[in-house]
Amino acid sequence: MKQEMTVKVNDKFKAAYAAGYPLIEKEALMDTQMLKEEGALLRLTDAQGRFLARGYYGKQNKGLGWIWTRNEEESIDQAFMERKLAKSINRRQPYFDDPATTAFRVVNGEGDGFGGLTIDYYAGYYLLSWYSEGIYTFKADIIAALQNVVEFKGIYEKKRFDTKGQYIEDDDFVAGERGEFPLIVKENGMNYAIYLNDGAMTGIFLDQRDVRRTIRDTYAKGKTVLNTFSYTGAFSVAAALGGAAKTTSVDLAKRSSSKTIEQFSVNGIDYEQQDILVMDVFNYFKYAKRKELKFDMVILDPPSFARSKKYTFSTSKDYTNLMREAIAITEKNGIIVASTNSASFGMKKFKGFIDKAFKEEGKKYSIVEEFTLPADFRVQKEFKEGDYLKVLFLKLK
Ligand code: SAH
């Protein structure tokens, strides 16, 4: 049994927890001194000691932990995890039923009442990502519950915490049978090669599914496409399958080249007809300007923060400049796909960065598509901040 501690919530936050706010924030607690043991159960009460909610202590950059339940009678055990998991899995039934898509999210952290944990499904395999030491202390109950709730080939995990919040290298295998990697998953009929045993990332970001489909189905045909920060080239594959005249993928990481070749190959696309460049995007922009290259479509999906030998990029400071570079090499009537996964600002501010860039370049545009997280990346209405994804398709006039 886990120990449980009572912590009092400031009056200002009382109503929020009573209404279902899921994050335990430092500012909300009257005293945080007793918070030492990661995973400890916390009984949140108002100043008078009246029960509000039960959660756990697990430090992340977002806060001090997450709420499990607002029902005082409910104990946090394997049966609790089973009820909650079954509910999350049931909500994804339409995805399980669709043979054209075999990779999707089944538990999206606090959006499914599991703050600090995500679970993704990859063609028979389940991948758990733990975001704090605290949530990891619930592992035995959660894994046992999962094994009772779903059929699976194998279960893998990623520990996405250490004192610096980074990925911990470890054997990622948990239960069932080990997979053979790459595992080929389907997404709206496209193939993607993924790895559950090779670092923090799997090779594809599932939250961009709708964006990839839209590129393929609506915007790629006959177009020249530049995919910057291309990683394994997932957007390039979608564009090529949509009939793009040619794709150019640019990423700084050395392994991005072989990974992109692999993604093209598992889709039967001749990668030699595509350009795959290992270089700094900012150098590529300079090169493209010098050569007077222009593209019909430019995709921008930078990490929230990146440092290369020459440049430091932080989305909130530098998106406008990045956009200006993209605008300069996009054809008239062309499309820019502007994406960010930065949780530190919302859609309104993002649109502001973009608008500023167009004004500074003296160009006009319209927004033709707008995306946030897809339905499997469930967001709780009391915690809209959980929807970090922002993607806009912009048409140059
Ligand atoms: N758009 C991709 C995901 C991008 S992840 C997709 O949808 O799959 C961010 C990528 O940016 C990483 O692969 C990283 O290597 C790359 N990156 C970071 N800084 C870069 C830079 N200055 N130039 C080129 N690539 C960079």
Side-chain angles (χ1 to χ4, degrees):
M1 275 294 277
K2 284 188 173 238
Q3 67 170 114
E4 179 167 286
M5 285 182 282
T6 297
V7 286
K8 287 190 170 162
V9 167
N10 290 319
D11 275 351
K12 216 176 91 196
F13 283 83
K14 206 169 104 177
Y17 288 114
Y21 187 72
L23 180 63
I24 302 176
E25 286 182 71
K26 187 162 197 276
E27 302 75 56
L29 305 182
M30 291 172 76
D31 182 10
T32 56
Q33 285 222 328
M34 71 283 238
L35 298 182
K36 294 202 174 79
E37 193 196 330
E38 285 273 332
L41 288 173
L42 305 180
R43 186 171 182 275
L44 270 57
T45 71
D46 65 11
Q48 289 73 43
R50 279 181 297 238
F51 179 85
L52 290 167
R54 178 173 286 121
Y56 74 91
Y57 173 55
K59 233 173 145 175
Q60 277 176 252
N61 55 359
K62 296 178 184 173
L64 296 181
W66 300 94
I67 300 298
W68 281 125
T69 180
R70 280 181 288 155
N71 176 357
E72 190 167 11
E73 308 308 318
E74 204 164 34
S75 37
I76 309 304
D77 51 16
Q78 187 185 324
F80 171 81
M81 299 301 174
E82 264 184 58
R83 286 194 300 279
K84 256 178 131 61
L85 276 175
K87 206 166 155 187
S88 302
I89 303 278
N90 283 337
R91 285 195 185 110
R92 273 68 178 192
Q93 198 56 49
Y95 291 91
F96 283 103
D97 291 343
D98 176 5
T101 296
T102 60
F104 46 89
R105 179 151 293 189
V106 293
V107 169
N108 192 39
E110 73 283 354
D112 284 286
F114 283 94
L117 170 70
T118 63
I119 308 181
D120 295 319
Y121 175 80
Y122 288 96
Y125 291 84
Y126 285 84
L127 173 66
L128 291 86
S129 299
W130 310 96
Y131 286 90
S132 71
E133 247 174 84
I135 186 68
Y136 197 66
T137 65
F138 295 91
K139 174 176 168 177
D141 279 344
I142 292 175
I143 297 284
L146 184 65
Q147 289 182 297
N148 284 343
V149 169
V150 297
E151 281 173 34
F152 60 90
K153 290 188 182 139
I155 299 176
Y156 280 76
E157 70 176 356
K158 308 277 178 203
K159 290 179 218 160
R160 304 292 296 273
F161 55 90
D162 70 354
T163 45
K164 290 187 218 75
Q166 298 205 324
Y167 172 70
I168 301 173
E169 279 301 335
D170 209 342
D171 183 10
D172 293 338
F173 177 70
V174 179
E177 59 182 67
R178 284 179 190 263
E180 267 184 48
F181 302 109
L183 182 68
I184 308 300
V185 299
K186 283 209 174 294
E187 183 188 275
N188 294 310
M190 297 180 261
N191 293 329
Y192 286 105
I194 67 106
Y195 295 78
L196 299 180
N197 61 346
D198 187 21
M201 309 298 171
T202 64
I204 185 172
F205 290 102
L206 299 176
D207 54 2
Q208 297 277 13
R209 178 188 315 112
D210 296 345
V211 178
R212 284 187 283 268
R213 194 226 293 256
T214 302
I215 288 173
R216 181 192 64 183
D217 293 353
T218 314
Y219 293 95
K221 194 151 203 237
K223 301 295 200 277
T224 55
V225 178
L226 172 65
N227 182 10
T228 63
F229 306 96
S230 57
Y231 181 46
T232 63
F235 287 131
S236 309
V237 166
L241 290 173
K246 186 178 178 184
T247 67
T248 303
S249 305
V250 183
D251 197 291
L252 191 59
K254 285 209 176 63
R255 26 188 340 217
S256 67
S257 167
S258 58
K259 294 278 179 189
T260 303
I261 289 173
E262 180 174 52
Q263 300 293 20
F264 279 127
S265 303
V266 298
N267 284 284
I269 301 161
D270 180 3
Y271 67 85
E272 290 187 346
Q273 304 295 313
Q274 315 293 330
D275 278 345
I276 302 169
L277 305 170
V278 175
M279 71 189 283
D280 195 307
V281 161
F282 296 95
N283 288 335
Y284 184 79
F285 285 133
K286 283 194 194 126
Y287 164 85
K289 269 194 234 168
R290 207 167 55 234
K291 295 271 175 185
E292 295 180 15
L293 298 180
K294 286 213 169 191
F295 296 86
D296 300 317
M297 183 190 285
V298 176
I299 301 167
L300 291 179
D301 181 31
S304 297
F305 187 82
R307 180 174 290 140
S308 63
K309 277 195 204 105
K310 263 167 82 184
Y311 309 94
T312 303
F313 176 85
S314 133
T315 321
S316 48
K317 284 212 323 278
D318 302 319
Y319 213 97
T320 295
N321 283 335
L322 185 63
M323 266 311 283
R324 289 187 64 175
E325 301 275 13
I327 293 165
I329 59 166
T330 304
E331 296 278 8
K332 197 166 177 242
N333 293 319
I335 296 280
I336 297 175
V337 178
S339 171
T340 178
N341 60 6
S342 174
S344 62
F345 54 86
M347 186 62 99
K348 203 168 155 200
K349 201 161 165 194
F350 186 47
K351 285 181 177 170
F353 296 152
I354 287 166
D355 197 63
K356 186 159 177 256
F358 277 96
K359 288 217 170 86
E360 287 175 1
E361 288 291 308
K363 295 253 170 73
K364 289 217 162 24
Y365 70 103
S366 60
I367 297 175
V368 290
E369 304 278 352
E370 182 167 336
F371 295 88
T372 54
L373 284 177
D376 53 327
F377 283 65
R378 195 162 193 274
V379 175
Q380 203 190 321
K381 64 177 184 308
E382 295 83 10
F383 196 70
K384 294 252 165 60
E385 305 91 301
D387 193 346
Y388 54 84
L389 186 69
K390 297 164 275 292
V391 185
L392 298 168
F393 285 43
L394 310 153
K395 190 174 168 117
L396 263 74
K397 295 200 172 139

